[in-house]
Amino acid sequence: MAKKLNLLYEGKGKKMFNTDDDNLLITEFKDDLTAFNAEKKGSEVGKGALNCKISTEIFHLLEKEGIKTHLIETISEKEQVVKKCQIIPIEVITRNVATGSLTKRLGIQEGTILPFSVVEFCYKNDELGDPLINDEHCLILNLVKNEKDLELIKKIARQINTILVNFFNSKGLRLIDFKLEFGIDSDGNMILADEISPDSCRFWDSKTNEKLDKDRFRQDLGNVKMAYEEVLKRILS
């Protein structure tokens, strides 16, 4: 097993550590909660462990369906060993139902089922507030090598969406939207990185539309941990 060394990077939801293997990192999930570009902050004891378990289960599901990811193994309730990769500084957002920023920007009523899934890009830059960008912006900023990379990102995002929508439908959950991050590994392959959890997805109960994700923190709905526990319970059912 890789040995944890010094802290490499600390983000809003995770810490990344170097290891004694140059090709591997250890990621540690935090209990911190942030929203609105970290303008709102909080903490929920046990959230990190729940996100680690949820993301582990989802990544294993995707791996079985042929999606390459950075996950090697989960080594504790909050820690994963992952492949070191060069993160592409693009947040890839896939939307199935209108809510959040899409509703605010376009005036589409919240809860409207979109006629097809929409894939959007945001520039992963905290100082700029992670602004929405288009394909041309990605190329101007040299975030990817070429248009083929962008098309591959969109293709994988849509594949993941199809897999997860079907999976969560079977668990009584609606996958409203979610954020992905990708990286390039040492062999030059594009792989799924970061996490997939209630921090990065919106889940609504299929019958009641109760929100079971970080919107409970964003909107002061309470019971954040209970919502995350319910998502994990359904995934494992």
Side-chain angles (χ1 to χ4, degrees):
M1 185 175 69
K3 181 181 179 181
K4 182 193 286 189
L5 299 178
N6 59 297
L7 178 67
L8 175 65
Y9 168 80
E10 182 169 358
K12 298 170 186 174
K14 292 184 294 298
K15 296 178 181 179
M16 303 293 293
F17 295 86
N18 285 310
T19 73
D20 55 353
D21 186 326
D22 290 339
N23 294 313
L24 301 176
L25 300 173
I26 289 178
T27 181
E28 178 184 317
F29 288 73
K30 297 163 58 177
D31 288 337
D32 295 355
L33 283 159
T34 63
F36 313 119
N37 200 29
E39 291 181 7
K40 182 177 183 178
K41 298 180 180 180
S43 182
E44 190 84 23
V45 175
K47 189 215 76 165
L50 286 165
N51 275 352
C52 182
K53 181 64 174 174
I54 291 168
S55 193
T56 296
E57 293 295 326
I58 295 175
F59 272 49
H60 283 164
L61 169 67
L62 293 174
E63 287 273 6
K64 291 178 182 177
E65 295 292 335
I67 303 296
K68 295 180 180 179
T69 81
H70 72 163
L71 179 61
I72 300 298
E73 62 175 328
T74 299
I75 56 173
S76 76
E77 67 173 12
K78 284 188 176 184
E79 295 173 308
Q80 296 174 341
V81 177
V82 300
K83 292 180 184 177
K84 182 183 288 187
C85 60
Q86 183 178 352
I87 295 294
I88 299 170
I90 299 173
E91 293 184 349
V92 182
I93 303 160
T94 305
R95 302 181 184 276
N96 299 305
V97 178
T99 191
S101 64
L102 186 69
T103 296
K104 294 176 183 177
R105 281 186 282 116
L106 303 183
I108 303 174
Q109 183 175 356
E110 178 168 0
T112 300
I113 299 173
L114 302 176
F116 52 86
S117 58
V118 175
V119 178
E120 297 180 332
F121 295 150
C122 287
Y123 183 22
K124 189 173 165 61
N125 186 309
D126 288 341
E127 292 182 3
L128 298 177
D130 300 331
L132 190 70
I133 54 177
N134 60 29
D135 291 22
E136 286 80 6
H137 295 149
C138 293
L139 297 173
I140 289 170
L141 293 168
N142 295 315
L143 305 184
V144 292
K145 290 182 180 179
N146 50 49
E147 292 183 20
K148 288 184 179 180
D149 281 349
L150 294 175
E151 291 306 313
L152 180 57
I153 287 172
K154 292 176 187 177
K155 178 182 177 181
I156 299 173
R158 294 186 188 281
Q159 289 174 337
I160 291 171
N161 186 52
T162 298
I163 295 166
L164 294 187
V165 165
N166 291 334
F167 174 74
F168 285 113
N169 279 344
S170 73
K171 304 297 182 178
L173 292 171
R174 300 175 68 195
L175 180 58
I176 304 303
D177 58 32
F178 59 97
K179 175 181 71 70
L180 302 173
E181 292 185 19
F182 294 91
I184 306 297
D185 68 15
S186 58
D187 296 320
N189 298 313
M190 186 180 294
I191 60 174
L192 178 64
D194 196 38
E195 67 181 281
I196 298 180
S197 73
D199 270 13
S200 61
C201 304
R202 284 188 171 99
F203 299 113
W204 294 359
D205 181 85
S206 295
K207 294 181 179 178
T208 65
N209 282 334
E210 180 184 8
K211 297 177 179 180
L212 298 170
D213 52 67
K214 198 166 74 170
D215 271 352
R216 301 201 69 84
F217 173 69
R218 293 187 187 98
Q219 301 172 15
D220 297 314
L221 299 176
N223 295 326
V224 176
K225 185 178 179 182
M226 288 178 62
Y228 285 44
E229 288 173 337
E230 180 63 21
V231 171
L232 177 59
K233 176 183 174 182
R234 296 195 193 188
I235 288 174
L236 297 176
S237 66

